[in-house]
Amino acid sequence: MLFWICFILAYIPIKLLFPTKVIGRKNLPKGKCIVASNHFSNADAPVYDIAFAIKFRYMAKIELFKNKFVAFFLKAFGGFAVDREKITPSVYKRTMLELKKGHKVFIFPEGTRNKSDSDEMGNAKAGVITFASKGDVEIVPMMIYKKPKLFHKNYIVVGEPFKVQGQNPSRLTHEEVQKNLEIYEQKMAELRAVLNEKLNLKKRHKDGDI
């Protein structure tokens, strides 16, 4: 109930400030999964929640919970605190519990916001593969195209889910974890390439080049 109250309060402001189009929405499973996205700003989480009208369970840096007002909305939208320097047993247990309940857990594998001038994704950390492995769930690669800008149309593209690969998927070796990370990063690069092509084609139509 609290989520939907906060959702209604945030819906119009987010829609007006960050108008967002979702591409590939059908690729998001109905049941539990790990959603793994790139990360540009603290606005990413509410933009995703409003765009999909889903209460994702987010890993959010612990520093954000120091402000009681921000912490209230973070928790209402499914956020739980994570120390970026160390994944504690309590975070692991919370993530497994959320997956066991059938929820979608949202992870930003870069571990921090992309503050560079590049829109390319930074190196993903192994946690996203480990959680998917131990939780026996699919990973859904998802990309927010560029850093959300006020009153500019934003794009989110959802890739096809994939399961981690290994001789024993629930107990991956270090080498298998790294290989799966490479698979995830490759899928994210492909999403960006597809979206680039779509937007360039749209621009050419608009400019009358086609």
Side-chain angles (χ1 to χ4, degrees):
M1 177 62 74
L2 181 58
F3 167 74
W4 289 111
I5 292 174
C6 292
F7 180 91
I8 292 170
L9 292 174
Y11 182 83
I12 293 178
I14 293 294
K15 280 290 188 180
L16 289 176
L17 295 175
F18 302 105
T20 302
K21 179 177 181 179
V22 177
I23 298 172
R25 188 186 296 267
K26 62 180 176 59
N27 288 329
L28 185 65
K30 292 183 179 180
K32 62 182 179 179
C33 62
I34 295 286
V35 180
S37 171
N38 58 333
H39 191 24
F40 284 117
S41 76
N42 290 333
D44 291 349
V47 166
Y48 275 121
D49 273 336
I50 297 300
F52 288 91
I54 291 175
K55 183 179 180 179
F56 293 108
R57 271 57 180 185
Y58 287 98
M59 292 185 182
K61 63 181 181 180
I62 196 169
E63 292 86 351
L64 293 175
F65 289 83
K66 292 180 180 179
N67 182 302
K68 291 184 179 180
F69 178 77
V70 173
F72 173 81
F73 275 93
L74 276 176
K75 291 177 182 178
F77 277 103
F80 57 97
V82 175
D83 186 340
R84 292 177 296 176
E85 301 300 322
K86 182 180 180 181
I87 300 297
T88 62
S90 62
V91 172
Y92 174 81
K93 290 179 181 179
R94 173 68 182 271
T95 303
M96 292 300 105
L97 178 61
E98 296 294 354
L99 291 173
K100 187 176 181 180
K101 290 180 177 179
H103 298 152
K104 295 174 174 59
V105 176
F106 210 111
I107 298 177
F108 298 110
E110 292 164 290
T112 187
R113 291 172 292 160
N114 182 350
K115 299 176 184 178
S116 70
D117 293 330
S118 172
D119 290 325
E120 297 297 325
M121 185 174 179
N123 293 330
K125 293 182 170 33
V128 61
I129 304 300
T130 301
F131 286 126
S133 168
K134 297 299 184 182
D136 189 27
V137 294
E138 293 180 311
I139 296 175
V140 182
M142 192 179 292
M143 174 171 287
I144 190 161
Y145 186 57
K146 293 179 180 292
K147 182 176 181 179
K149 295 181 179 179
L150 294 175
F151 306 112
H152 283 70
K153 191 169 187 178
N154 301 289
Y155 292 89
I156 293 173
V157 58
V158 186
E160 294 183 1
F162 71 98
K163 291 293 289 284
V164 296
Q165 303 173 12
Q167 187 171 356
N168 182 353
S170 65
R171 295 179 65 87
L172 298 175
T173 65
H174 175 75
E175 291 74 17
E176 289 172 337
V177 169
Q178 295 306 310
K179 183 177 180 180
N180 280 284
L181 270 180
E182 292 174 6
I183 292 173
Y184 167 70
E185 290 177 339
Q186 178 60 36
K187 288 182 179 293
M188 291 294 284
E190 291 171 358
L191 287 182
R192 179 171 292 283
V194 168
L195 193 51
N196 271 330
E197 184 177 351
K198 285 180 178 291
L199 295 181
N200 287 335
L201 183 61
K202 181 179 179 180
K203 184 176 185 300
R204 289 166 64 191
H205 273 293
K206 185 178 179 179
D207 294 342
D209 294 336
I210 297 179

